[in-house]
Amino acid sequence: MWRKETKRGTDINSSKISTLKKVQDPENDSVLLVKEEIQSSVTNANQLAVKHRFRKSTVANINTLLSEDGDIDADKLMKFLLDPEAGFPEVFPDFPAVHFNELLKARHEKGSELTHDEIAALLPRLNALARLNKELVAGDVSQIWVAAQQPELGLEHLDDNFRTRICDALVEEKKNHEYLNIDQVQGKIDCVNAEIAVELARVEGVNELNDALDGSDVDAMLKALQNPTLKLENVDSANITHYIRLMKKKKDAKRTAEEEQAPALWIDEIQETLDSTNQQTKVALKQASAVAAVNMAIEDSDWEQSYEMLKHPDLAITALTFECGSTYYDQFKVVKEDKITEGKGETDWVMYKTREGDDYYFNIDTLDGTWDQPEQFNPDTIQLSKEEIQSVVNDVSAAYDRCQWYKDNENQIVKLQSFGRMCIAKRRYNERKNFMDNQLPAIVTIQSAWRGHVQRKKFAERIKHLQENTQAVVTIQKFVRMWKLRRAFLNRLDYLKDQNKSIVKLQAWFRSNKARHDYKTLIGVENPPLPVVRRFVHLLDQRATDFAEEIELQELKKSVIQRIKGNNDHEKALNTMDIKIGLLVKNRISLQDVINHSHNLRKKQAKDIAAGGDGGGMATGLKALNKANRARLEAYQHLFYMLQTNPTYFGKLIFKMPVGRSTDFMQQVIFAVYNYASNSREEYLLLKLFRTALQEEIDFIAGEDPGSKVDKVKEIATGNPLVIKMVVSFNRGAKGNSSLRQILAPQVSEVLKKKSVINTSPIEIYKAWISQREMETGEASDLPYNVTTEQAYAHKEVISRMQDSLNQLRQATDGFMNAICNNIDQIPYGLRYIAKCLRNLLSTKFPETPDEEVLKMVGNLIYYRFINPAIISPDVFDIIDVTAGNTTLNTDQRRNLGSIAKVLQFASTGKSFVDDHSHMDPINQYMKEAYERFKTFFKAVCDVPEPEEKHNMDEFSDAVLLVKPVIFISLKEVVDTHKLLVEHEEEIAPDGNDPLHDMLEELGDVPDYSTLLGTSHHHHRSSPNRSDSKKENHQAGSSEGDKSGAGNNDKNQDNEAIKAEISLTLASRVEVQEDDDSDVKNLLLRTKRMVIDIIRIQGKENLKLVLDTTATDEQEDLHMANISKLENQKRELDEKENKKDEESVLKTRSLLNENKLPLEDMKRRVLRNLEKLETHQIVSQEDNYQSIVNMIARDIRNQRRYRQRRKQELSKLMQNEERLEQKSKSLEEQSEYFNQYIKSCLSSLTAKSKQQKKKKKKAMTIKYTAMELYRKKIVLEVEGLDQSKFRDVLFEISQNDDDAGKFVVAAKFCGLNMDKVTVVFQDLLQLQYEGVNHMKMFEGRARVNVNLLIFLLNKKFFGK
């Protein structure tokens, strides 16, 4: 600002000089100014400049005042504004706080200083606001209203009819604030208007109620009472008559008191009447019930029971006496008999008078009451009323009291005399006390004078005695002081001895508190001090228990993975066996196929039992101790490490492969490479793979032809992506099934316990109703059996049953909803994370798609694919326990679960029942509410941390592992993976510099199984080389011919061998040398190791001081002793590892040579490394290398977390192993059940074998022309042959002599043999089971109907 003013002053002076020059120029044609005119112009210019500078100065002062952080100085601001030289418009000075605060707010909103024009523009509005606040303080309604209507304020909704109320509300609001701003004023006005609107509505409702009351319209009165605007409570329609009666009484009383012609009842009076009526109803019902109970007790012959009824508090009978109980009973009997004599009898309804005098009618049979007189009411009843009961009680009790009075008269006289004597004694005592009180001053004076005389005499004698024995007194005082100090010291010493344990505990608490404080500093402070880090640096030491736990963890992982694979193979074999047995029962296929499969199943079990290792006994093949195989083994270990840590390769490979092969590939290879995510590291890497594959899938969808974005998003659900299948399959493992069991098991059990059927089909309900009627009556129903949905729904019974089913369905569905939404933490983390990735990727790729559609895709993954199948088939997904050969689910139970799952599925997608499901309309509202809950649930599911945060993983995680990762994989899976990588090498690694090319080049051609097994059987097919593999066409072929028994045995042995598992210790292919200073990460890691060794010995406030401080000889000796100790521990560890696994390829790296340096040499090396790291901006000397200290602190925290996580993994693996063992036992039981069934089939077959031999004939052959088979719809078409020539084609079908399940089909054309094929009946049944209707024969030249062909073979050959 000063520069601007200086510049302006310079401009003014320049103008003056130019003017003067103009005057002095004689050649100028312009008019010359005289001296006075020049002086006048200069004076005016100076005045304008001074005025402008003053305005600038005033604005600057105002902005400075507004920017100060001190106390508010509103008066100073007002002084600046009122200054006439400042050039501001008129200012209202009576409320300076308004101007200060509003200008301050305007300056903050602008973010810079206010100009003169901006302040001047704000002042009219601020003046109006200040006037309004001033009038609010004064409290004058008219002036407030005028001030509020100022156009500068711009206030809205000012209704002149409510001016007083609005002004009063503003005045009350002003009392709570220093001043009201415009927003507060407008808000209060809107609030008052809203309150007035509500009050007007209530007034209208009250008027309607009063009108209904005057007209005695019961329906209108009930409607008015239930008007929600009035907010009346406890309105009971049963008491409407009494409501009207009491309100009319209240209205009449009000008319009499206020002398009004038509008084009206207000809200409070109406609510008071309602509460009073309800209370009277309760009291009347209780009293009538009690009176009825007394009457019933009188009918019995037990007087004690009737007396107990009389004492009931609701009856409120007074003057009861227990001694008169039998007399009461007798009198009640007499009164009843008198009523009977008068001609009265028993009635159902009895009238009672309430305390208020109203009639209340009570039904003795139903115990119900009403204020309206029933039609069956008869006043002539023998029932006793309360008044009659009270009259009898009063008469009997009064007679008893009079009798007792005479008996007790003597004692009363004695008591009367004692009270008289007591009054006399009290009077005498009070007279003596009054005398003493009156003479109290004189008594006190005499006693004080005597006590003073005695004390003065004793004091004079004591003083005289002490003066005569001064030396003795001093001596005694000295010894007393010494004795007191010694006693205090000894007491203190004894106290400390007695409290020794407490003192130790206190010191321990102090030390632990200090340790906790230091640890909180370590984990909570951004830059922890070096002394704190040094205190916990010992936690980085590797202990023996760490190595023992790592070994145990690896062994458990191996055991769990082997059990998982074994159980999966066992389950597949059992499922196949189940299908074959079903086909056997249904179609009478060959029993020999089932028996052969059973033998294979038993061999599989024996193999699982005998499996005790990972092929460690193999001395040949891939793990043979020679250079070539060792190089291949290391290359495979490097390859699988790259595949495991880089998800791009597997992600692209999954996306590029065909559907069928990708499923097998997922089951056989991917889960094996990631060890079924048995620990945090492998789960983290597997989630990265899923995320990459999902990214590939969504990128492909987003890159298709342009279309509707919503339709593309829905392709995630309709397209059934492979990665989604993999995610669901993985999360349905041991962890997923356990979580599903915890979430759904209670609800499924509740549904299974219910015997009722949830039927939502009106037609089925209608038919069941007719059947029930016929069974109950024994007569045929006259109603039609076959009806439409509308006709069935027209019957009230169907509607009633349908409503019951819908209520049960809603209740059960709500239970599942609560279980799912309240157990969100039970859902596996991996599934929730993939849901989060799915939502984020879809929102990023399709930003125009509504979030609601994206959440539906999340719901498709979480509910439809993961939860819904478990609800439909809880026995399949281990939600409930089942036993071999028996299932706990019947058809009704499965139907109930299916109905619940259907409703939940519709609710998760926002659908409702329409069109053909119009009878489900009552549940649609519930489904809308459930949909909103599902949306909230799906959002919460996606709220999970990233895997890096969840599993605490980073780029250094593998570097700090004690034991390198190990996977367990079969040789077949190794070869298949190698082959697939070669086939799709260019697709998954398009970059020519990708290290995968070097890896595959190093491995060479895909080896055959004999190479990896170390055998050389001639029957093995050699694998193609890399170039041939890329061109190979994967088509299944079949060959015929007989093989020798020895060849088959060798092949079976090799097949079992290539399926055997081996362990691969994964490691990175590129090992960084320890002295390679060019690698920054390696340099940082080595520097941290040396810094840790240094701060173990020396400690200062920061690392720079430690490095600058010279080490003492004692510190050097201690450092070398630590090095020796670490070397001994490493040597012992190497010996244990060599004993544990003599074939281990990659050993744990030994201590670096740098860590063996003396302390001072190590410091110099650290300083050089820190200088290099500083060039990479990793550390800084300005903060005393605090970054290195922070990294060490993070390593300490991570080491602790890793140990905790390792213990958790051990516990989880043990639990999973127990569950897998239980599952294995269950599979063995099922296998045993199948074996027993096969044995029974064999026994039946043996019994019939003799009869079959006698009846055995020559194999039958049937012949049909193509035209005959075409008419039977068995042959559908013959390629290249017209239908007119079908008569010339003959098909001969004959059964194989050795195997009854095989048929030879020969085709002849005009008597010439054309072709012959063998059809396996079991294959036909398998096609029928898979839903295949048509198949091609004779190399695709003929197309036949599978179902009709099976029917023909059954009919002709099996007699079925």
Side-chain angles (χ1 to χ4, degrees):
M1 184 179 291
W2 177 82
R3 292 178 181 176
K4 292 180 181 179
E5 292 299 323
T6 305
K7 183 177 180 181
R8 181 173 177 84
T10 305
D11 294 340
I12 295 173
N13 291 331
S14 300
S15 177
K16 293 178 182 179
I17 294 172
S18 63
T19 303
L20 292 175
K21 285 183 179 180
K22 191 174 183 181
V23 172
Q24 293 174 0
D25 189 0
E27 298 178 358
N28 197 337
D29 296 332
S30 60
V31 179
L32 297 177
L33 300 176
V34 297
K35 178 179 179 181
E36 290 77 12
E37 292 176 339
I38 295 172
Q39 184 60 48
S40 175
S41 299
V42 170
T43 302
N44 293 335
N46 288 335
Q47 290 176 354
L48 291 174
V50 170
K51 186 176 181 180
H52 181 76
R53 288 193 190 98
F54 186 82
R55 287 189 177 184
K56 288 285 185 178
S57 174
T58 303
V59 172
N61 291 335
I62 290 174
N63 281 288
T64 302
L65 183 61
L66 294 175
S67 63
E68 289 179 354
D69 296 331
D71 297 333
I72 297 175
D73 194 351
D75 296 330
K76 188 174 181 181
L77 173 66
M78 186 57 65
K79 181 179 179 182
F80 289 137
L81 295 175
L82 291 173
D83 194 338
E85 298 296 329
F88 291 113
E90 181 182 359
V91 179
F92 185 80
D94 292 345
F95 221 95
V98 173
H99 294 76
F100 184 91
N101 290 324
E102 294 299 315
L103 288 175
L104 181 62
K105 186 189 300 182
R107 188 182 186 279
H108 284 308
E109 292 177 353
K110 182 182 179 183
S112 60
E113 295 183 349
L114 299 175
T115 63
H116 185 275
D117 295 335
E118 291 172 341
I119 296 173
L122 289 173
L123 285 178
R125 191 177 188 186
L126 298 183
N127 291 336
L129 183 61
R131 289 190 183 94
L132 177 59
N133 278 275
K134 180 183 177 183
E135 297 301 332
L136 290 176
V137 174
D140 189 348
V141 174
S142 59
Q143 294 300 322
I144 294 174
W145 190 254
V146 172
Q149 291 180 326
Q150 296 177 86
E152 292 83 1
L153 294 177
L155 296 177
E156 299 176 348
H157 310 303
L158 292 173
D159 193 342
D160 192 69
N161 296 324
F162 310 123
R163 59 188 294 179
T164 302
R165 186 161 178 179
I166 293 174
C167 293
D168 292 340
L170 291 175
V171 171
E172 289 297 323
E173 185 69 14
K174 173 63 179 65
K175 293 179 181 178
N176 300 325
H177 300 84
E178 181 183 4
Y179 78 97
L180 297 181
N181 56 35
I182 293 177
D183 294 336
Q184 291 172 331
V185 173
Q186 185 63 57
K188 195 62 182 178
I189 292 171
D190 295 339
C191 181
V192 171
N193 288 331
E195 292 175 358
I196 292 172
V198 172
E199 291 174 0
L200 290 176
R202 296 189 73 185
V203 169
E204 184 178 358
V206 170
N207 292 334
E208 293 177 356
L209 190 146
N210 281 278
D211 294 338
L213 181 62
D214 293 336
S216 299
D217 189 347
V218 176
D219 295 335
M221 186 67 180
L222 180 60
K223 181 179 179 181
L225 289 173
Q226 293 177 344
N227 188 350
T229 307
L230 298 180
K231 299 180 181 179
L232 296 175
E233 299 177 353
N234 304 322
V235 177
D236 189 355
S237 59
N239 300 333
I240 185 64
T241 304
H242 203 46
Y243 290 155
I244 296 174
R245 183 187 300 131
L246 292 186
M247 287 183 185
K248 285 186 176 181
K249 288 182 180 180
K250 198 171 192 70
K251 201 168 185 180
D252 294 337
K254 191 173 183 180
R255 182 184 294 109
T256 303
E258 299 177 0
E259 297 181 357
E260 294 181 6
Q261 292 299 328
L265 297 180
W266 290 98
I267 292 292
D268 296 337
E269 296 171 331
I270 296 170
Q271 185 62 56
E272 181 182 355
T273 304
L274 293 177
D275 296 338
S276 175
T277 303
N278 294 334
Q279 183 63 27
Q280 289 181 20
T281 303
K282 292 180 182 179
V283 172
L285 181 61
K286 290 181 179 180
Q287 182 177 347
S289 300
V291 172
V294 171
N295 279 279
M296 283 187 263
I298 293 173
E299 297 296 330
D300 299 331
S301 60
D302 189 0
W303 65 268
E304 292 181 351
Q305 182 180 358
S306 63
Y307 180 77
E308 291 297 325
M309 292 295 102
L310 290 174
K311 293 195 302 182
H312 198 282
D314 294 334
L315 192 57
I317 297 297
T318 59
L320 285 173
T321 305
F322 176 77
E323 289 77 7
C324 301
S326 60
T327 309
Y328 295 151
Y329 177 81
D330 295 335
Q331 287 299 116
F332 291 150
K333 282 286 190 181
V334 171
V335 174
K336 274 203 168 188
E337 291 174 357
D338 293 339
K339 286 192 174 187
I340 294 174
T341 304
E342 295 172 1
K344 298 180 180 180
E346 293 285 350
T347 59
D348 295 335
W349 290 93
V350 182
M351 183 187 73
Y352 297 100
K353 283 288 186 179
T354 64
R355 296 174 183 174
E356 293 78 13
D358 299 315
D359 296 336
Y360 185 76
Y361 300 90
F362 181 80
N363 192 307
I364 300 174
D365 295 333
T366 62
L367 302 181
D368 294 330
T370 179
W371 295 101
D372 301 321
Q373 180 176 338
E375 295 179 0
Q376 303 85 1
F377 172 72
N378 183 5
D380 298 327
T381 178
I382 64 172
Q383 297 289 325
L384 299 180
S385 65
K386 180 188 175 184
E387 292 77 13
E388 294 172 334
I389 294 173
Q390 183 65 62
S391 176
V392 171
V393 170
N394 291 339
D395 294 341
V396 174
S397 297
Y400 178 80
D401 291 340
R402 284 193 300 273
C403 181
Q404 291 298 321
W405 166 255
Y406 293 113
K407 292 181 180 179
D408 300 335
N409 189 38
E410 183 178 356
N411 294 332
Q412 296 296 329
I413 294 173
V414 173
K415 288 183 180 180
L416 182 60
Q417 291 176 346
S418 65
F419 280 121
R421 296 188 188 98
M422 180 184 66
C423 291
I424 296 172
K426 282 186 177 180
R427 185 170 62 251
R428 292 176 181 176
Y429 171 77
N430 290 331
E431 290 176 355
R432 183 63 181 172
K433 186 174 180 299
N434 291 334
F435 173 77
M436 297 295 290
D437 292 340
N438 294 332
Q439 302 299 327
L440 184 61
I443 295 172
V444 171
T445 301
I446 295 171
Q447 290 178 348
S448 62
W450 175 251
R451 291 192 188 98
H453 169 72
V454 172
Q455 289 298 326
R456 281 191 294 273
K457 182 178 180 181
K458 289 181 180 180
F459 179 75
E461 293 175 353
R462 185 65 178 170
I463 289 297
K464 182 178 179 182
H465 174 72
L466 293 176
Q467 289 176 351
E468 293 174 353
N469 299 281
T470 302
Q471 188 62 33
V473 170
V474 172
T475 303
I476 292 173
Q477 290 177 346
K478 178 177 64 175
F479 279 103
V480 169
R481 292 191 188 98
M482 179 184 65
W483 172 80
K484 290 176 66 176
L485 290 174
R486 181 178 295 176
R487 186 181 64 177
F489 173 75
L490 294 175
N491 291 339
R492 182 64 177 172
L493 189 61
D494 293 339
Y495 172 78
L496 293 176
K497 290 180 180 179
D498 295 338
Q499 302 297 328
N500 184 52
K501 294 183 179 180
S502 299
I503 293 171
V504 171
K505 289 182 181 179
L506 185 62
Q507 292 175 345
W509 175 83
F510 179 78
R511 295 190 187 98
S512 64
N513 191 43
K514 181 65 167 61
R516 283 192 295 271
H517 179 269
D518 291 344
Y519 186 74
K520 288 181 180 178
T521 303
L522 177 71
I523 64 176
V525 179
E526 183 179 359
N527 297 316
L530 182 62
V532 174
V533 177
R534 183 172 179 266
R535 181 182 179 91
F536 296 98
V537 76
H538 67 279
L539 296 177
L540 293 173
D541 297 339
Q542 304 297 338
R543 298 170 292 192
T545 55
D546 293 328
F547 297 104
E549 289 180 354
E550 285 290 342
I551 293 173
E552 183 182 3
L553 185 64
Q554 293 298 329
E555 292 178 350
L556 276 174
K557 282 170 54 180
K558 175 182 176 182
S559 175
V560 168
I561 292 171
Q562 288 177 345
R563 285 189 179 275
I564 291 174
K565 289 187 174 182
N567 287 345
N568 290 342
D569 294 340
H570 206 157
E571 280 184 318
K572 290 180 181 178
L574 285 174
N575 291 335
T576 305
M577 191 69 184
D578 191 16
I579 294 172
K580 290 182 180 294
I581 291 176
L583 296 176
L584 171 66
V585 174
K586 183 178 179 181
N587 296 281
R588 304 178 184 177
I589 65 173
S590 174
L591 181 63
Q592 188 62 35
D593 295 331
V594 183
I595 296 172
N596 292 337
H597 187 78
S598 176
H599 290 331
N600 295 334
L601 188 60
R602 286 196 291 271
K603 289 180 181 179
K604 173 64 181 173
Q605 294 176 2
K607 174 188 167 185
D608 293 341
I609 295 173
D614 60 349
M618 295 171 57
T620 60
L622 187 61
K623 285 206 171 184
L625 296 177
N626 56 62
K627 184 176 181 180
N629 285 333
R630 187 50 55 95
R632 178 179 283 114
L633 176 63
E634 292 181 356
Y636 274 126
Q637 291 175 155
H638 298 155
L639 174 64
F640 278 98
Y641 180 82
M642 178 185 292
L643 293 177
Q644 190 188 64
T645 55
N646 190 343
T648 306
Y649 302 129
F650 272 150
K652 291 183 177 180
L653 192 58
I654 293 170
F655 182 70
K656 298 293 183 182
M657 290 178 60
V659 177
R661 297 189 63 192
S662 63
T663 303
D664 297 337
F665 179 75
M666 174 193 69
Q667 294 176 351
Q668 297 178 1
V669 179
I670 293 184
F671 287 166
V673 169
Y674 290 96
N675 277 336
Y676 290 87
S678 57
N679 62 17
S680 297
R681 174 186 176 275
E682 286 147 2
E683 183 178 359
Y684 163 74
L685 295 174
L686 185 59
L687 290 178
K688 288 179 63 178
L689 168 62
F690 288 156
R691 179 176 59 190
T692 305
L694 186 62
Q695 178 74 54
E696 291 286 334
E697 185 73 32
I698 293 178
D699 289 344
F700 173 76
I701 294 175
E704 291 181 348
D705 295 336
S708 172
K709 295 295 178 94
V710 177
D711 292 341
K712 287 188 175 182
V713 170
K714 288 182 179 179
E715 288 183 15
I716 296 295
T718 59
N720 200 15
L722 302 176
V723 63
I724 299 298
K725 287 184 178 180
M726 294 171 60
V727 170
V728 175
S729 177
F730 164 68
N731 286 282
R732 278 192 185 141
K735 298 179 182 178
N737 275 350
S738 176
S739 62
L740 282 175
R741 188 182 181 96
Q742 293 181 13
I743 296 172
L744 301 178
Q747 300 301 323
V748 172
S749 300
E750 287 295 328
V751 174
L752 297 183
K753 290 178 183 178
K754 294 181 178 179
K755 298 182 179 179
S756 58
V757 180
I758 301 176
N759 195 342
T760 58
S761 173
I763 296 177
E764 294 182 3
I765 295 175
Y766 173 79
K767 292 180 179 180
W769 172 49
I770 291 179
S771 300
Q772 182 181 357
R773 286 182 56 185
E774 291 177 348
M775 291 178 62
E776 292 176 353
T777 60
E779 298 177 357
S781 176
D782 54 353
L783 295 175
Y785 191 75
N786 295 320
V787 294
T788 63
T789 301
E790 292 76 11
Q791 292 172 345
Y793 208 64
H795 298 275
K796 293 184 179 180
E797 182 65 22
V798 175
I799 296 175
S800 176
R801 296 191 180 193
M802 184 71 184
Q803 188 63 39
D804 293 340
S805 293
L806 291 179
N807 292 336
Q808 294 179 24
L809 178 60
R810 176 170 180 172
Q811 183 180 1
T813 305
D814 197 56
F816 277 91
M817 274 287 298
N818 294 332
I820 294 171
C821 296
N822 296 336
N823 291 278
I824 189 172
D825 294 334
Q826 297 294 337
I827 298 177
Y829 164 77
L831 187 65
R832 296 180 63 185
Y833 174 68
I834 296 302
K836 175 183 178 180
C837 294
L838 178 62
R839 183 185 181 188
N840 294 340
L841 291 172
L842 290 177
S843 300
T844 303
K845 287 294 181 181
F846 308 102
E848 298 178 359
T849 302
D851 187 57
E852 183 176 358
E853 295 297 327
V854 176
L855 286 177
K856 287 182 180 179
M857 298 304 102
V858 175
N860 179 268
L861 171 63
I862 298 297
Y863 174 76
Y864 180 71
R865 295 180 182 270
F866 182 67
I867 299 177
N868 191 65
I871 298 176
I872 297 175
S873 303
D875 50 343
V876 177
F877 292 92
D878 198 23
I879 304 302
I880 58 175
D881 297 324
V882 295
T883 57
N886 180 32
T887 177
T888 60
L889 268 68
N890 54 40
T891 305
D892 293 339
Q893 291 171 340
R894 291 191 183 278
R895 182 170 187 169
N896 292 346
L897 292 173
S899 299
I900 295 170
K902 183 177 182 180
V903 174
L904 287 173
Q905 179 186 348
F906 274 38
S908 66
T909 56
K911 296 181 180 179
S912 59
F913 294 100
V914 295
D915 298 336
D916 296 339
H917 298 86
S918 58
H919 55 276
M920 300 287 287
D921 286 342
I923 207 172
N924 282 337
Q925 181 61 33
Y926 168 74
M927 294 180 65
K928 293 180 181 179
E929 299 172 358
Y931 176 54
E932 297 299 325
R933 291 185 64 187
F934 263 126
K935 287 200 296 185
T936 305
F937 169 72
F938 295 147
K939 291 178 182 178
V941 165
C942 299
D943 186 14
V944 289
E946 291 294 322
E948 290 80 3
E949 180 183 353
K950 171 72 175 179
H951 300 292
N952 196 24
M953 304 292 292
D954 55 21
E955 66 271 17
F956 300 107
S957 297
D958 282 0
V960 300
L961 292 178
L962 297 178
V963 180
K964 292 189 177 296
V966 178
I967 64 173
F968 305 93
I969 190 170
S970 67
L971 294 177
K972 183 178 184 305
E973 292 169 348
V974 172
V975 174
D976 289 345
T977 305
H978 190 178
K979 187 176 180 181
L980 289 171
L981 291 175
V982 172
E983 292 175 3
H984 301 277
E985 180 178 357
E986 298 301 330
E987 297 175 351
I988 63 178
D991 187 3
N993 297 325
D994 196 293
L996 181 64
H997 299 300
D998 297 335
M999 289 270 187
L1000 296 177
E1001 189 68 30
E1002 181 181 349
L1003 284 169
D1005 297 337
V1006 179
D1008 54 13
Y1009 294 138
S1010 61
T1011 303
L1012 299 183
L1013 291 173
T1015 61
S1016 60
H1017 298 301
H1018 67 277
H1019 61 272
H1020 285 300
R1021 180 179 62 86
S1022 60
S1023 300
N1025 56 29
R1026 296 181 65 207
S1027 61
D1028 293 340
S1029 296
K1030 297 176 184 178
K1031 301 176 182 178
E1032 182 180 359
N1033 183 17
H1034 301 280
Q1035 295 180 350
S1038 61
S1039 62
E1040 298 181 358
D1042 297 333
K1043 296 183 180 180
S1044 64
N1048 288 333
N1049 291 336
D1050 293 339
K1051 184 176 180 180
N1052 292 335
Q1053 292 176 1
D1054 290 346
N1055 288 337
E1056 294 296 329
I1058 62 177
K1059 292 180 181 179
E1061 293 180 353
I1062 62 170
S1063 61
L1064 295 181
T1065 303
L1066 304 186
S1068 177
R1069 179 172 183 268
V1070 181
E1071 292 289 341
V1072 181
Q1073 300 298 324
E1074 298 297 343
D1075 57 350
D1076 186 5
D1077 293 340
S1078 63
D1079 191 305
V1080 178
K1081 294 181 180 178
N1082 183 54
L1083 179 64
L1084 177 62
L1085 184 61
R1086 293 189 287 115
T1087 305
K1088 286 198 299 181
R1089 290 178 180 174
M1090 291 188 287
V1091 169
I1092 290 172
D1093 290 340
I1094 292 172
I1095 64 177
R1096 288 179 193 272
I1097 309 302
Q1098 284 186 282
K1100 293 290 183 180
E1101 294 181 359
N1102 55 65
L1103 183 58
K1104 191 173 185 305
L1105 289 178
V1106 172
L1107 297 176
D1108 294 341
T1109 304
T1110 304
T1112 62
D1113 295 338
E1114 292 81 2
Q1115 292 174 342
E1116 287 285 0
D1117 295 340
L1118 182 60
H1119 173 64
M1120 299 309 295
N1122 288 341
I1123 293 176
S1124 301
K1125 180 180 178 181
L1126 292 175
E1127 286 183 338
N1128 293 333
Q1129 293 178 353
K1130 184 64 179 65
R1131 193 178 300 109
E1132 294 176 358
L1133 176 62
D1134 289 340
E1135 293 176 357
K1136 291 181 180 179
E1137 287 188 349
N1138 290 332
K1139 292 179 181 178
K1140 183 71 180 176
D1141 186 8
E1142 296 179 355
E1143 296 183 358
S1144 179
V1145 179
L1146 298 175
K1147 299 296 183 181
T1148 306
R1149 293 155 65 182
S1150 60
L1151 288 172
L1152 298 173
N1153 292 329
E1154 293 172 336
N1155 292 75
K1156 300 179 181 179
L1157 295 173
L1159 201 57
E1160 285 300 319
D1161 294 342
M1162 190 180 292
K1163 287 183 182 180
R1164 287 190 286 272
R1165 180 68 64 89
V1166 168
L1167 287 173
R1168 289 199 300 270
N1169 292 351
L1170 290 175
E1171 291 177 359
K1172 295 178 182 179
L1173 293 173
E1174 191 170 6
T1175 59
H1176 292 280
Q1177 297 181 353
I1178 297 177
V1179 298
S1180 175
Q1181 187 177 2
E1182 296 179 358
D1183 61 354
N1184 299 318
Y1185 305 116
Q1186 182 64 34
S1187 300
I1188 286 286
V1189 179
N1190 295 343
M1191 294 177 188
I1192 295 173
R1194 186 183 63 185
D1195 291 342
I1196 294 172
R1197 296 193 296 267
N1198 292 344
Q1199 183 75 357
R1200 173 179 172 272
R1201 293 171 183 166
Y1202 177 74
R1203 285 171 177 156
Q1204 292 177 347
R1205 189 167 62 245
R1206 183 174 57 204
K1207 291 184 181 295
Q1208 294 174 358
E1209 289 176 1
L1210 281 172
S1211 176
K1212 290 180 181 178
L1213 285 174
M1214 291 177 182
Q1215 294 175 2
N1216 290 337
E1217 188 176 26
E1218 292 178 0
R1219 301 261 316 179
L1220 289 170
E1221 185 176 0
Q1222 295 175 0
K1223 186 174 183 179
S1224 178
K1225 291 180 180 179
S1226 176
L1227 294 175
E1228 291 175 2
E1229 291 177 359
Q1230 295 182 29
S1231 177
E1232 183 63 25
Y1233 175 77
F1234 287 150
N1235 291 333
Q1236 292 295 332
Y1237 178 79
I1238 293 171
K1239 287 180 181 179
S1240 65
C1241 292
L1242 285 173
S1243 300
S1244 177
L1245 181 65
T1246 304
K1248 297 179 180 180
S1249 60
K1250 295 182 180 180
Q1251 297 177 2
Q1252 291 176 353
K1253 287 181 180 178
K1254 294 179 180 179
K1255 297 180 180 180
K1256 184 174 181 181
K1257 299 179 181 179
K1258 186 178 180 180
M1260 183 179 64
T1261 301
I1262 60 175
K1263 299 179 181 180
Y1264 288 98
T1265 64
M1267 179 59 69
E1268 291 174 336
L1269 295 180
Y1270 178 75
R1271 291 172 180 171
K1272 294 179 179 290
K1273 304 297 183 181
I1274 295 176
V1275 174
L1276 302 178
E1277 64 178 355
V1278 178
E1279 183 179 354
L1281 191 65
D1282 190 69
Q1283 292 183 8
S1284 60
K1285 296 183 179 182
F1286 278 11
R1287 300 180 183 276
D1288 299 332
V1289 178
L1290 180 67
F1291 290 102
E1292 294 182 354
I1293 305 174
S1294 60
Q1295 193 173 20
N1296 194 305
D1297 296 336
D1298 299 329
D1299 190 349
K1302 292 184 178 179
F1303 299 88
V1304 177
V1305 182
K1308 296 181 179 182
F1309 183 74
C1310 296
L1312 299 177
N1313 293 326
M1314 301 301 296
D1315 200 355
K1316 181 186 295 185
V1317 296
T1318 300
V1319 177
V1320 181
F1321 194 68
Q1322 182 181 350
D1323 294 341
L1324 293 177
L1325 295 175
Q1326 186 69 26
L1327 290 175
Q1328 185 187 46
Y1329 173 76
E1330 293 175 357
V1332 178
N1333 296 325
H1334 303 152
M1335 62 175 279
K1336 291 186 177 181
M1337 298 176 61
F1338 303 105
E1339 297 181 355
R1341 291 193 292 271
R1343 189 161 63 94
V1344 300
N1345 188 302
V1346 175
N1347 297 323
L1348 295 180
L1349 181 59
I1350 292 174
F1351 175 78
L1352 177 66
L1353 296 177
N1354 276 329
K1355 181 178 180 181
K1356 296 299 182 180
F1357 293 96
F1358 297 111
K1360 184 177 179 181

